[in-house]
Amino acid sequence: MRNTSLLSIQPCGCLLVLDKDLSLIVQCSANAQQYLRVAADELLDQKPEQVLGKRITGKARNELRTGSRLSGPLSIQRDIDGRKTRLQVNAFRSGDAVIVEIEPITPLGNRRLMGTVNQWLTRLARAETPGALMDILVAGVRDITRFERVLVFHFDDEGHGVCLAEDLAEGLSPVVGQRFAASDYPAEQREKFAAREVRSIPDLGADAVPVVSSAALSEHRIRDIDASGTVLRAPSRRQRNFLDDFNARSLLSLAIVGQAGLWGMVTCISATPMPLAPTLRDAARTLVTMATQRLFLLKARMESSFLLQVQESRDFLVEDVKAGLSPTAMLEKYGNEWLVFFRAAGLAFRTKGEISGFGVTPPLKTIAEFARRLEQSHGQGAWVSSRLRNEPLAAGLELNGCCGMLAAPLPGEDSEGWLMFFRPEHDRTFYWAGKPDSDALVSAPASGQDLHRTFSAWQEEVRGTSDPWKPIERQAAVDLGEDVALLASASEITRLNEMLREEQQALARANEKLREAVSHDSLTGIWNRYRTEQELDKELAKARRHKLPFCVLLLDVDHFKRVNDTWGHEAGDELLGHIACEVNGVLRQEDHIGRWGGEEFVVVATGAAREDGVILAERIRKAVAGVRISRMPEGVTASIGVATWRPEDKRKELVARADRAMYAAKTGGRNRIETDQGL
């Protein structure tokens, strides 16, 4: 006794369902008699060796012990309608069961399949661009399968499909460039197709064949059986609707699978039934496999070329870091180049210490606010948007026409550091196959009569968006952000070092001024009394040690109080400054002058005996008498006392004698010189 299951298949082959140990047939399609010469009722609960033979069953059992499906199709031979017919056998695990699909291998006549496949494989291997590759692929698949229309669909990040390439029979309306709403290909369906990779419907009008089950199926502990992996499964409602839209009766779909999942598919359709030998289907699949490898190789090359260009900039940037280039100068140097790399209109960077923009960007205050909001609301990694004006992050900000932004964080302690790229608005027109769920502007339907009316093209005008950012651009921006952060850090260190140098120089100047203030008279610029006393002590010590003579000259400006009273203190101060300058000009290189106080000056004449001191004093007296300033019409004179070092002298005693000699010159009539001889 048998039961009819919910499974059904197409009549182009038959299906067996075995238990997980491949020991019993628990289900089979009702048309088993046509292909296996054994009625379905007789197959149920039989060992597969009795139907498939020991060799095929043993090989399947060995391979499925460790794998999920056979490494390649097997074949058996049966007498069908009086002719010896080869059958292709494929098997794969599905939960607690093993599904075996059996298809007839129809002769190809005079077709040299291997040579044809190799020719197309060679052409695919020589394709240099993804576009050229897709054009070769659809032409090659159509040449092998003989379908009326072959298309390549690609699914974008939002799940929408777009027709990238097409090869079709004469008289058919093209659909290349049209988009298919994501609702037509739900994510769950795309995931399943990526796993099974092949879908074949030779004749949509053929009656489905039911799959019957053993009455003791439950005893075999086999739960739900998923037959979606077999190419024999009956068409789904979605596939029937798709073919109905094309007014087609046959379909072959082959998946293009990348590392991220289903990238797209090659779809073959015809208005007439297309019984396709498994060998032709496998040949088409071989082309798709080769094209897939070539496609992602080309994309990898393009991405590698892009990254190489960015890396070359990064290499130069390292040298700029060493040279101390500032981030602002970096934008000026690399801005145009980076705008080309990232297909951007403007770029900017923001750190705690600096903010700068290049090209078309929002105002700098907006960039600063972007950085603050990103720090508060965004986690790690790059932040991207192609609809900037719709982002909460941009609410209330002036965007200056920028619709897209890629922001890469600058690693380091500067939490507000970001490198930003901006793109302008890029209006686009999408042509949809059937009206999508989104609001679309309706245009006239396509003129082709080979397409169903519900499949007509509808036009959608998309505004307010920029070109989308590619993952490789995000990666490159993050990498570049690391170098910009390094440059910013180096620039900040350079700036701080420069500030430190300036502060050190200012401190040195202040210390010098302090030293000047400690040792020099602020009015005349010559030594003050403190510094002069230091020099006197040094000369006294040298004289005692080496018995070297020296003189001290004390001069006082005559009637200086009268100068202040008559011409004012400013005139008196100016006069003292000129006297100090003139006296200093007549001194020897080893002599020193200091202001002792008020209008008194002390000259230390190193190595001078009394006679030398008197000669020097006379030069000084004449120099003072020759001083003139604009504030007073007449000159002044000076009285000078000369004291010569004695071995028992201390500083106080030596200066006191010079002071007494100077006083003697005052009392003797002024404008004269007296020595300490006899004092």
Side-chain angles (χ1 to χ4, degrees), residues 588-651:
R588 301 172 304 167
Q589 185 175 0
E590 60 268 28
D591 299 334
H592 303 284
I593 182 173
R595 186 181 179 192
W596 197 248
E599 66 273 19
E600 291 183 337
F601 297 87
V602 169
V603 174
V604 180
T606 303
R610 179 174 288 109
E611 294 79 9
D612 300 322
V614 171
I615 294 173
L616 178 59
E618 180 60 22
R619 290 205 306 271
I620 293 173
R621 187 191 68 79
K622 291 180 178 179
V624 173
V627 172
R628 295 291 185 274
I629 62 173
S630 60
R631 294 177 182 267
M632 50 185 292
E634 56 198 46
V636 294
T637 60
S639 299
I640 304 174
V642 180
T644 305
W645 169 74
R646 297 171 185 173
E648 69 277 9
D649 275 342
K650 294 183 179 179
R651 171 176 24 99

Side-chain angles (χ1 to χ4, degrees), residues 4-293:
T4 302
S5 74
L6 297 177
L7 299 177
S8 61
I9 66 168
Q10 301 177 80
C12 53
C14 70
L15 188 78
L16 302 179
V17 179
L18 315 180
D19 65 348
K20 63 180 180 180
D21 298 322
L22 284 80
S23 60
L24 291 175
I25 300 173
V26 296
Q27 288 183 320
C28 69
S29 58
N31 63 347
Q33 173 76 37
Q34 179 182 349
Y35 296 98
L36 300 176
R37 313 311 298 164
V38 181
D41 288 342
E42 298 178 17
L43 287 177
L44 294 176
D45 297 323
Q46 297 298 313
K47 293 183 178 181
E49 287 89 344
Q50 296 175 337
V51 179
L52 303 177
K54 292 183 179 180
R55 182 182 65 85
I56 297 295
T57 304
K59 186 172 181 61
R61 187 175 285 122
N62 289 334
E63 291 197 15
L64 294 179
R65 185 175 291 117
T66 55
S68 60
R69 61 174 55 244
L70 293 180
S71 59
L74 305 174
S75 67
I76 58 177
Q77 186 169 285
R78 290 292 184 271
D79 187 354
I80 299 178
D81 297 331
R83 292 187 304 177
K84 294 294 185 180
T85 303
R86 285 199 310 133
L87 301 175
Q88 178 171 288
V89 178
N90 267 310
F92 61 91
R93 287 194 175 277
S94 176
D96 296 327
V98 173
I99 295 179
V100 179
E101 53 186 359
I102 302 169
E103 300 175 85
I105 303 176
T106 56
L108 300 179
N110 295 326
R111 296 188 63 179
R112 296 181 62 253
L113 181 59
M114 187 62 68
T116 301
V117 170
N118 286 336
Q119 288 177 0
W120 286 109
L121 289 176
T122 300
R123 293 183 61 183
L124 288 171
R126 293 174 178 173
E128 292 297 328
T129 65
L133 181 73
M134 294 296 101
D135 289 338
I136 296 171
L137 177 60
V138 292
V141 171
R142 184 161 177 259
D143 182 34
I144 290 173
T145 63
R146 306 294 172 87
F147 273 80
E148 294 175 346
R149 186 193 300 265
V150 179
L151 313 98
V152 171
F153 292 104
H154 165 58
F155 296 105
D156 63 20
D157 293 338
E158 297 178 346
H160 299 310
V162 59
C163 181
L164 299 181
E166 180 180 35
D167 194 274
L168 67 166
E170 185 177 353
L172 297 183
S173 299
V175 296
V176 66
Q178 286 194 25
R179 298 172 66 83
F180 297 79
S183 57
D184 293 339
Y185 297 93
E188 181 181 355
Q189 296 295 327
R190 295 198 303 272
E191 290 176 4
K192 287 184 177 180
F193 188 58
R196 60 187 181 233
E197 297 188 7
V198 179
R199 186 68 174 102
S200 177
I201 303 176
D203 185 359
L204 186 65
D207 294 333
V209 177
V211 174
V212 296
S213 305
S214 166
L217 180 62
S218 59
E219 298 177 6
H220 298 294
R221 298 182 181 180
I222 297 177
R223 299 177 180 86
D224 294 338
I225 300 173
D226 181 8
S228 62
T230 173
V231 295
L232 293 176
R233 65 191 179 281
S236 66
R237 178 181 56 81
R238 188 180 303 277
Q239 290 158 349
R240 288 182 177 277
N241 290 339
F242 178 82
L243 288 176
D244 182 56
D245 286 337
F246 274 96
N247 286 328
R249 289 190 60 180
S250 54
L251 167 76
L252 172 64
S253 290
L254 304 166
I256 300 176
V257 183
Q259 291 183 345
L262 186 65
W263 182 89
M265 65 174 66
V266 176
T267 298
C268 313
I269 52 179
S270 282
T272 59
M274 292 291 294
L276 194 65
T279 48
L280 292 177
R281 187 180 66 224
D282 292 342
R285 188 177 181 182
T286 299
L287 290 191
V288 173
T289 301
M290 175 64 181
T292 299
Q293 295 173 354

Side-chain angles (χ1 to χ4, degrees), residues 321-336:
V321 170
K322 297 177 182 178
L325 187 71
S326 70
T328 299
M330 168 205 69
L331 290 190
E332 294 296 328
K333 182 174 181 179
Y334 297 102
N336 286 321

Side-chain angles (χ1 to χ4, degrees), residues 349-391:
F349 78 91
R350 170 73 167 91
T351 65
K352 284 184 178 179
E354 197 168 358
I355 181 171
S356 186
F358 183 88
V360 180
T361 69
L364 294 183
K365 63 180 181 180
T366 296
I367 293 172
E369 181 61 17
F370 266 137
R372 188 188 69 81
R373 294 182 183 183
L374 282 168
E375 175 59 26
Q376 290 181 345
S377 62
H378 181 60
Q380 298 180 344
W383 184 91
V384 296
S385 174
S386 297
R387 293 178 178 265
L388 197 53
R389 68 182 66 174
N390 296 336
E391 298 287 349

Side-chain angles (χ1 to χ4, degrees), residues 302-315:
M302 294 168 63
E303 293 179 352
S304 177
S305 176
F306 170 74
L307 289 178
L308 181 61
Q309 290 177 310
V310 175
Q311 184 60 51
E312 288 177 351
S313 281
R314 295 181 66 190
D315 291 341

